[in-house]
Structures are given as C-alpha cells and as structure tokens.
Amino acid sequence: MRPIFAVTLAMITASFAVATQSTRIIASLIMMVGVLIIVSVPPARRYRRIASGVSAIVGCILVCFHPLTNSKESAVLPRTVIGDVCSPIRKGDTSNRFTVCSPAGKFVVRTRTDLNLNYLDRVHVTSDFTVPEPPRNIGEFDYQAWCKFHHIRGVSSANADVLAVNIGQNPIGSFVSNVRLWIDLQCKAGLPVDTAPLASGILLSITDDLPFELQEAFGRTGTVHVLSTSGMHISVLVASIGTILIWSGRTTTAATGLGLSLLVGYASGGGPAPLRAVTSLFVRLIARYLVRSPEPWHLLCCCACVAILRDPFVVMDAGAQLSFLAVSGLIVAAPIADVISQRIRQATSLFSKVTLTLLQGCTVSFFVTLITAPAVAFHMHHVSLISPIANLPVGFLSEWALLIGAMALVFGWIPGIGTLMFTLLHGVLRSLIYIANLLADVPYADVATGIADPYLVIIASVGLIGLCFVIGRKVIQGASVSEPQYFVPWSPTKPLL
Amino acid sequence: MVRLVLIFLIITLPSCTFQKPSSLTVTCIDVGQGDSLLISFPNGKHWLVDAGGVPAGDTESGVDPGHRNVLSVLRAKAIQSLDVVVMTHPDEDHVQGMLAVARHVPVSQVYWNGFEGSRTEKKVRKEFTQRGTRMNVVKAGDVTRVGDVGVSVLSPPAEPILGTRSPENENSVIMLIRYGTKSILLTGDVEEAGERKLLATFGLEIRNVSLLKVAHHGSDSSSMSDFVRRTRPGIAFVSCGKRNRYGHPSGDVIKRLERVGADVYRTDQCGMLEWMTDGRSEAVATMLPCNKNALREAQGVTN
Ligand SMILES: [Zn+2]
C-alpha cells in the first residue's frame, strides 16, 4: 500500500473515531480499508509496507494530538469564552451568526446586534450557552448531532443577552472579510434584487439572502454544488489569470493564481470544499515545477490530509464528504470521458460532435451523482434523479456566470463596460433560475429515500467508487483528470487550461 | 473484479430489507402552531390531512412548516407521492404548508370542504389545479374504502353551519377512519356548533374512538364535555406550538379528556407523535422523550 493512502485512511479512521466514538463506524472503516486494498493496490513491496505503517501511525498521532481534538471538555458549559472567529459572519433574517474557536471548544454565537467583527478576530463572548434541542420530527436536520460531530459544545440563543467584545483585530481576516463584503455589495449594487443573491451565492457561496425556494430547486436538481466554492471556481479564476497575465512568466501566473485562489477560498468561508480545491491547485502547481503529473487519487488524499489537519472533525461534515465523493466520481469517470474525447476528436460531422459532447457531460455527471448518491440519501433523505441532465445546463450557465461575474467585479468601475457586464450577468443568472425551477418542477425529479443506515452508506460509497474505478481502468490505462474539465461541455475554461 | 463484486454484494444485500407496511399509522407531524397528519394505510397508500402553516398575524420568521417539517417527514419515510390530500378548512395554520407539498410531491386528489378562504388557500388550490390534481368537495355522508380501512366523512354537513364566530372552523372536514376494532376521529378545527351537529347526526358512529385528534389545537372553544364524553377517546393527540400565544391547549380541555380516561399526547411536549394499529392492538411513539412512552425513535415502534 502506498504511504499516502495509508496516512489518509489512518487519519480518516482516527477522526471518525474521535468524532463519533462509535465502534460500528470504526468497524466499517476498517472494512473500507480492506476493500480499498483489494481494489486499488498492487502487491506491496517491503519498504512500502514499512513506510505505510509509519505514515499511518504518524497520521493517527496527528489527529489524536490535534488542538481541537484535545480542547478541554468540562461538564458545565462556560459563560465566557475567549477565542477566534473561525467562520464568516452569516447574516440571517433576525440575527447574525458566527463560530468561535477557543481552547474550551467551538461555540456558535448568535446576536441580534450588528457587531464590528471580522473573520479571525479575537473575541471575548459572554452568554448563556446551551446545547441545541433535538429535532422534533423524523428526517429533520439534527442540529444537536451536527454540533456534537463538529465538536461545537454550545450555542447561544439569539434571544439571550450576548456580549461579544472584539479584543484583537486580525489584519488578514479583516482584509478577507472586506473582500467578501465588497463583492456582496457590488453584486447588490449592479444587479436587480432577483438575481443579486444568486450572484453572491455563485461567486462566493454567500447564500444568506438566497430565497429558500431557489435553494430547494437546486437541491431537487442535484446542482446545489454551484453554490459552494469548489474546483470550478478555482479553475475559472486560474484560467482567467492565465489569460490576463499571458505575457508574464509561469512563476508570476502561478503565484498570482495561488494567492487569489487562497483569498477566494477564505473569503467564501474557508470551508472544506474551497480548501480542497486550493490544496489541489497548490499540489498541481508544485508537480508542474517538478515536471511530474500528479496521480489524481494521490492529489485527493493530500487534500484530505490537509483538511483533517485543519480540523479533524471535518470528516463528519456533509459538505466535505460530498465534495470528496464528487471528485472521486470525476476521477473514476475520467477514463470513460477520455474515450469519448477521442471519439469527439475523430468525429467529422458537427451533429455527432455535439451529441458526443453532451453524452460526455451526462456520463461524468451520472458517475458523480451515482457515487454521491448514498451520502446524499443519508444527509438529505432524497436523491435527485434529474441531476445527470440538470448538471449540463446548470453547470454550463454557472461557469459563464462566474467568469462574467469576475469580470464585472474587476472592470465594474469602467463606465459602460460595468453596466454591460452586469446586464450580461443578469441575463445568465435569470436563465439559470428559470432552468433550475423548470427542472425542479419535473415530476419525480427527486425521490425520497428514507433514512439510510450509516454503515450501509459507507459500504455503498466505497463499493461504488471501487466498482467504477475497476470499470474505468478496464476502459483505458493511465487516465488523468483535472477537475471541471469533463464536467461542463463548452466550458469557458476548457480551452484555457 | 469478480471477488470485489462478491464482497460488495455479501456486505450490502442482507441490509437491503424492504419494509412493507401492514399496519395503519397516523403520524401527527409537529408543525408548531398548526395541524398536519399523515395517514399511512396498510395497502401502502398515503393520505395527508393539512400541512401546517404559520397562523395569520404571527410574525414568526423562518422556513414554512411545509418545507421544514412535512417534506422532511415524507422524505424520511420514503414517501414518493400522496394519494389524497385533505384540506380540512382554509385557515393559514392548516393550508400554508400545502404550497410546498403541491410543488414537490405528486398528489392524486384533494378533498376540501368547498369553503373559500385566505389568499394562501386560493394559491394552494391554484397550484394543485395547475398540476392536474383533482379537487373534490366532500360532504357529510361520503364514504370510501382504502384496502381494509373504511373512511367516512362526517362533516361539513350538507347544510353548512353559518352565523357562528368562525364558519370556516365549524365546517371543517371531519373524518372517521375504521380499521378492525379500532377507529380514529380527525376533527380539524371544529368548534362547539359543529360538535353539536356531529353529536346529533353521527352520535352513534363516534362513540368510544381509539384515537382522537383534538379539535382546534386543544382550544376551549372546542371539545365540549358532551362531545368528549361521547367520543371517550383512548388516546388523544393535541397539535400545538411550543409556548404559543393562544394558550393552546386549554387546561380545561386536557382535564376533560383525562377525566374520560384518555392518554393525552401534545406535539409541543413530545414532538412528532405516531399511533399504529394492526386492527386489534395499538401503540404510540413520540419523537422526544415525554411523559408516558419515552421512545426517542418514533420509527422503532412495535406493538
Ligand atoms: Zn388551526
């Protein structure tokens, strides 16, 4: 077994064990290791065994001695907490909400007052923290379990008195917060009320003002991923920078791309999906310097290790799970997409080129839907059947929205051009809303799955990846993948990457 | 490859058990201050009676109960479509959530009392009609069978009750469901005049019911002594919001119910309530641990 697999699996297992303290899940993870070994690894050579063993032990130690794993757990919840704001400040209808990471654990603070707080600021919070209530109906979002698995020890009620004092500004944090705020304001200033929230959602995953009906429509069509910063955003960004800085050297382009990606990643909340995308870009750039092409599974493992190192409880996060599973889907679909790419190149008529391109998009989208299906069923209790088709127009339009949006933000100050860009963006977003609603209204666009057993979900996810991987390897040898490349036909970034 | 497929199948197949309902289940969904009941019949049909909503005039913000509560329950129970949706009466706290249901779940037909009401109710009916759902106005005396289960409509009367404080409430759709030796009475928001009419016309049918959905969220304008004594419910479900501003349920009503020997379960205390019967025995489960059957998992019900 390769050391990178060993360390990743060890870290995932240890994190699961820490977060759930459930023997059943640990048992299934051990089984998952077994299945992965059978599926993917050629007979191990001796030194690899030693390296893998050492890596696995190091991984376990890293998780077990992580500061967040070892935050002090006392039976009573503290009344005052000193820590850093470790989430963006989310604005709700009646209150603002943010998370504080402190040596005593993580706490969610909700206040009715507007505080002058930014990401990463050090705060002193005084409030009556409580453990959230369990859900009142089956199938409802279990905020209590969510907090437990994310190691959030207490939540302040919005109605209670909350005193939050900013005791230390973080210049990087306030810069990132201001970028976030500026983009949100630019969208609101340049676009009508019906499309401005969607622009903020697509550009920076700010979904605070997005109508619930529209979020539900994206959920029903299995395209909710366009509202979270991911590989697609980073690719569009890097591709745009590549075009703008076409005359400069590779180093400048890479450094600018990476810097801006980090900024975008953190401005959009620094969640697991953007972190994965940025780490993946970073490793790919290094690999390019070393004139090597990184193996996609290794790349994914690296990203997983980084995400767990940042927060061991990320393994319990639905967004993180879906993000990593979706990329696994892209990787296993890559060989088949490659085969279709060859056919597209060989095709002579425009009709067959178009048909094959659509087929390619649908195939990749189908694999991603299939591999994420067990986890989606587990978290949402419904799976989108229309997703493989819906992802084509929605992915296509949201990539263009991203590109036009980014240009509107950069060139918005030029009179005329700014207006033109925002008008164009409005048109794209209108069509996106129309298509999402149209497809969500198709009868049986999604099916209710009931409550899935976590054990079965893990086995099914790993089994599906394994099966698809084997099928994919049978189709073509030595496939490589860059994330959105096969995802969206006629993607604006495709010719640039 | 073959080895892998075998391992996968051996691990997953035993867990894939398909549940086939063989009992009649009434689920009282906790929609806050409102009503929503899901009836799952032994033959696999599902009916939804009301879908909750924020009462008109309440400033409570957030997602509407149709999305937050009703759709969650339908998805968790893997219900793909509803055979019948009953709108007992057009008040917001009963129909607002129907908008989400109409948009997201295919519905074969709707039963309603023919009383036009709020703007929301008109929107709901429009939404259903646009999707080709049949709208049926039901009247007292209508009878239907769902497999072995008999459903009779006891209200609204052919001559609607008018001239009272709230004619919409008085003419709520009231249904009596019978399965084996068990019977269920669903009362909507019926008030005193409606109850009196019911006692006069269907006095014999509504004697000694197994489960009563207490009228009007336990308000003291309903569930008068005569009515409670006649129905003499074994179990009573009250659907009301936690710390609601109407003071529902009324202490008097709870006392009246307990005096005739009813086990009272309240959604504000116990969360979602579930009552199950195979026609002979019955069982109740609650989502949250509460006074009597402290069952955390509403799904793990056994007779
Ligand atoms: Zn009511």
Side-chain angles (χ1 to χ4, degrees), chain A residues 102-300:
Chain A
S102 78
K106 289 193 257 182
F107 292 85
V108 173
V109 181
R110 284 184 286 184
T111 62
R112 282 179 184 278
T113 44
D114 249 326
L115 299 164
N116 187 22
L117 277 183
N118 286 318
Y119 189 45
L120 295 181
D121 280 354
R122 180 142 298 182
V123 282
H124 183 287
V125 182
T126 309
S127 178
D128 286 320
F129 291 104
T130 51
V131 176
E133 288 186 1
R136 304 187 65 84
N137 291 294
I138 52 162
E140 270 172 31
F141 176 62
D142 191 344
Y143 190 43
Q144 193 181 60
W146 188 87
C147 286
K148 187 181 153 228
F149 291 140
H150 284 74
H151 214 53
I152 290 167
R153 293 192 52 218
V155 175
S156 80
S157 145
N159 300 317
D161 287 333
V162 175
L163 185 72
V165 187
N166 195 338
I167 53 171
Q169 291 233 332
N170 184 310
I172 298 170
S174 44
F175 176 67
V176 169
S177 296
N178 288 333
V179 168
R180 185 180 160 88
L181 201 66
W182 180 78
I183 292 178
D184 197 22
L185 286 176
Q186 289 294 311
C187 289
K188 285 199 176 105
L191 288 168
V193 278
D194 58 335
T195 49
L198 183 59
S200 308
I202 288 182
L203 284 168
L204 269 190
S205 324
I206 305 172
T207 51
D208 302 346
D209 297 327
L210 204 63
F212 187 79
E213 274 294 325
L214 188 58
Q215 291 190 41
E216 185 71 22
F218 281 116
R220 254 169 88 77
T221 48
T223 52
V224 79
H225 58 86
V226 298
L227 298 176
S228 69
T229 305
S230 64
M232 179 174 85
H233 293 69
I234 302 299
S235 309
V236 171
L237 193 74
V238 173
S240 325
I241 289 159
T243 323
I244 296 165
L245 301 177
I246 202 150
W247 63 86
S248 65
R250 242 171 34 176
T251 322
T252 324
T253 317
T256 321
L258 192 64
L260 274 174
S261 304
L262 260 172
L263 178 65
V264 167
Y266 273 94
S268 62
L275 187 69
R276 180 191 53 69
V278 175
T279 313
S280 161
L281 173 73
F282 184 69
V283 177
R284 275 216 298 267
L285 287 177
I286 289 177
R288 198 180 282 181
Y289 267 93
L290 300 174
V291 203
R292 288 175 67 170
S293 77
E295 221 262 303
W297 289 113
H298 294 182
L299 201 57
L300 196 63

Side-chain angles (χ1 to χ4, degrees), chain A residues 38-39 133-137 139-140 212-213 216 220 381-382 441 444 446-448 450-451 456 459 463 470, chain B residues 1 4 7-8 11 15 29-30 67-69 75-76 78 80-81 103-104 242 267-268 271-272 287-288 296:
Chain A
I38 298 163
V39 172
E133 288 186 1
R136 304 187 65 84
N137 291 294
E140 270 172 31
F212 187 79
E213 274 294 325
E216 185 71 22
R220 254 169 88 77
H381 310 135
H382 64 117
D441 269 1
Y444 300 103
D446 67 344
V447 288
I451 294 171
L456 199 64
I459 298 293
V470 173
Chain B
M1 175 71 185
L4 175 78
I7 292 171
F8 184 64
I11 294 169
S15 321
I29 303 169
D30 183 354
H67 262 126
R68 191 181 48 199
N69 312 121
R75 283 167 177 169
Q80 314 298 350
S81 60
R103 282 206 66 178
H104 296 297
K242 230 171 124 183
T267 54
D268 61 334
M272 187 184 94
M287 184 68 187
L288 305 174
R296 175 71 178 79

Side-chain angles (χ1 to χ4, degrees), chain B residues 56-104:
Chain B
D58 266 19
T59 48
E60 193 187 316
S61 67
V63 185
D64 89 282
H67 262 126
R68 191 181 48 199
N69 312 121
V70 181
L71 283 186
S72 300
V73 171
L74 294 181
R75 283 167 177 169
K77 286 177 170 277
I79 293 171
Q80 314 298 350
S81 60
L82 291 165
D83 301 280
V84 172
V85 161
V86 182
M87 299 200 291
T88 59
H89 67 292
D91 279 358
E92 302 268 348
D93 57 328
H94 296 250
V95 296
Q96 192 201 29
M98 289 283 180
L99 270 178
V101 174
R103 282 206 66 178
H104 296 297

